[in-house]
Amino acid sequence: VQFKILDSFRYPVKDYLLFKKLIKAGFSKRRKTIKNALLGSGLGLDAKQIEEILNQAEIPLTTRAEELELEKWVKLADLIKD
């Protein structure tokens, strides 16, 4: 197995600190859907905002954190940032 270190991020993110908070929030509550995990995450989003962002990212509301690919996490962080 070989690892290649990239010169830049494969999926550039607008706000890296927000991205890290989002990932932590998504995985902090086991067996929760991404919507429910983000609700009590301290990101300052209400249920309606989370649903709108998930819909914009084309992520079903019943998705769990472990089901998302890295590209979707970046998209979520960028949508929250905007």
Side-chain angles (χ1 to χ4, degrees), residues 21 25-26 29 36-45 50:
K21 275 179 130 176
K29 297 185 177 148
N36 290 334
L38 296 179
L39 258 176
S41 65
L43 291 171
L45 300 171
I50 292 171

Side-chain angles (χ1 to χ4, degrees), residues 20-38:
K20 283 176 49 173
K21 275 179 130 176
L22 181 66
I23 296 288
K24 186 174 182 176
F27 284 97
S28 67
K29 297 185 177 148
R30 291 184 41 177
R31 309 230 3 107
K32 293 273 186 182
T33 62
I34 191 72
K35 177 188 169 196
N36 290 334
L38 296 179

